[in-house]
Amino acid sequence: MPLPSGQVTIPPSLGEWIVWFSETNYFSATVHISPITLRLLLCHLQTQVFQLRSTMGTVAGRGSTPKGPQHMSIVLLSVQVQTIQELLHKWYELAKIQPNETATLATASNMMLYHLIMLNMIMSFPEIERVARSGRNSEGASRKPSHTKHAYHLENPRQIYFHCGQVLRHIRSVPEPARPSWWAGAVYRVALITWANGMVCANGDDAQNRRNISTQTTVALDMLTPDHASIVSYLNNEAVIPVYANLNGAKVPLDNSVGILQHFARFLHTDIKTKFTFGVQRKLLTMARRWESGATQNSSFAV
């Protein structure tokens, strides 16, 4: 909560910041908040997302009925999803008006976390990991995981790809020595979400266009800012094919499940490699080999 210039007072508590953030509908361009305060507000929002996800899992486990308490629970969850999404968008607008959005490690890390939390809103990562770790079935037939959609979940594959790409963009904006210690974990999460989203979209309306990627208009989601015209066109459901860019600038298609895992493994091949980074890279390569050999277990996951 900004204070008049020259006024000395005790710094607001986190609770006071949360109340101010929740009750403020418009943020003036003169509002300046430290990256640490923005991070704390983001942690508060992540707590709400975690609680919402837990409730979603509980409701989903009860089965589906058209009427009665189950139906009311789904309606209430839809309202909660919309409320938390609005708060996350409000946080993003507040962060955007701060000076030097990606000039420091703290601000870049905040933006990475924001996009990861947005992904938590629309994807069940534990379910994705469960499918990713599945092994061979007894028949030896290769099958793709099927998609389970909850009635209260507003699925949008383009939003999923967009947020994944923005996480990568902000990671790239920070020199390797200055990246947060958890950056490889963020890459791992984005890798599996991109992989799962590609599997779900394999037979979608844009599947034929993606097969002819060399003749289609593409947008590199990990290289462009959210306000770039190509990103805006893509999010407005125009005929634009999403891709990532590799270290040489070449296009990386998102519908090649094995290729995308290999791309992220290469992304982790840096000059400064820790045991954590190496472990994540090895896990992605192992998963790529397992899925490349086919014969994965037929499982379903909720996104």
Side-chain angles (χ1 to χ4, degrees):
M1 57 201 70
L3 298 170
S5 178
Q7 181 175 341
V8 178
T9 185
I10 299 175
S13 66
L14 176 58
E16 290 172 327
W17 275 115
I18 291 173
V19 170
W20 171 80
F21 172 76
S22 301
E23 295 180 350
T24 303
N25 296 320
Y26 172 77
F27 298 114
S28 168
T30 59
V31 173
H32 296 306
I33 299 178
S34 71
I36 297 300
T37 301
L38 285 170
R39 173 74 63 87
L40 292 174
L41 289 174
L42 204 53
C43 290
H44 168 69
L45 294 176
Q46 165 58 16
T47 299
Q48 294 189 49
V49 172
F50 175 79
Q51 293 172 346
L52 177 64
R53 268 289 167 193
S54 298
T55 305
M56 283 181 172
T58 301
V59 173
R62 297 174 185 167
S64 178
T65 57
K67 296 182 180 180
Q70 171 73 5
H71 177 70
M72 289 302 299
S73 296
I74 291 175
V75 172
L76 291 174
L77 276 176
S78 297
V79 174
Q80 292 177 33
V81 167
Q82 182 177 358
T83 300
I84 296 176
Q85 284 180 332
E86 289 174 353
L87 288 173
L88 284 165
H89 287 305
K90 182 193 288 190
W91 181 94
Y92 182 72
E93 292 302 317
L94 178 61
K96 279 202 309 181
I97 64 176
Q98 304 307 309
N100 302 321
E101 176 194 350
T102 58
T104 67
L105 169 61
T107 49
S109 297
N110 283 348
M111 299 309 293
M112 295 177 210
L113 290 172
Y114 163 76
H115 289 288
L116 288 170
I117 293 172
M118 287 297 294
L119 287 168
N120 284 346
M121 284 290 300
I122 51 182
M123 296 289 286
S124 175
F125 189 72
E127 287 292 319
I128 293 173
E129 273 199 313
R130 181 179 64 81
V131 175
R133 292 171 177 171
S134 62
R136 296 172 178 267
N137 60 23
S138 57
E139 299 176 358
S142 178
R143 299 179 181 179
K144 294 180 180 180
S146 60
H147 174 219
T148 302
K149 179 179 176 181
H150 296 313
Y152 54 78
H153 176 71
L154 303 178
E155 177 200 355
N156 191 330
R158 294 192 177 215
Q159 285 286 340
I160 293 170
Y161 278 145
F162 163 72
H163 289 295
C164 286
Q166 291 302 299
V167 172
L168 298 178
R169 182 176 73 85
H170 285 289
I171 290 175
R172 281 175 163 161
S173 73
V174 180
E176 288 179 27
R179 289 175 183 173
S181 58
W182 45 264
W183 76 272
V187 171
Y188 172 73
R189 181 170 288 248
V190 168
L192 263 62
I193 292 175
T194 301
W195 167 82
N197 204 39
M199 299 282 269
V200 169
C201 299
N203 297 316
D205 295 336
D206 294 333
Q208 183 61 44
N209 288 337
R210 288 196 298 271
R211 296 188 187 100
N212 301 320
I213 191 172
S214 60
T215 62
Q216 300 294 324
T217 302
T218 60
V219 53
L221 299 176
D222 57 344
M223 300 296 290
L224 304 175
T225 59
D227 57 356
H228 191 279
S230 297
I231 294 279
V232 174
S233 296
Y234 173 71
L235 293 177
N236 286 334
N237 295 316
E238 296 185 19
V240 182
I241 307 303
V243 297
Y244 292 154
N246 66 17
L247 299 179
N248 298 322
K251 298 175 183 177
V252 178
L254 305 186
D255 58 347
N256 183 333
S257 59
V258 174
I260 201 66
L261 294 173
Q262 294 171 339
H263 164 70
F264 279 102
R266 289 191 296 269
F267 191 96
L268 290 165
H269 188 74
T270 59
D271 295 333
I272 303 175
K273 183 173 292 187
T274 64
K275 289 184 178 180
F276 178 53
T277 304
F278 177 75
V280 173
Q281 184 184 48
R282 185 172 58 181
K283 180 176 288 190
L284 290 175
L285 289 173
T286 300
M287 179 181 166
R289 285 193 294 268
R290 184 168 67 247
W291 281 82
E292 187 174 27
S293 64
T296 52
Q297 182 178 346
N298 182 27
S299 304
S300 63
F301 59 88
V303 294

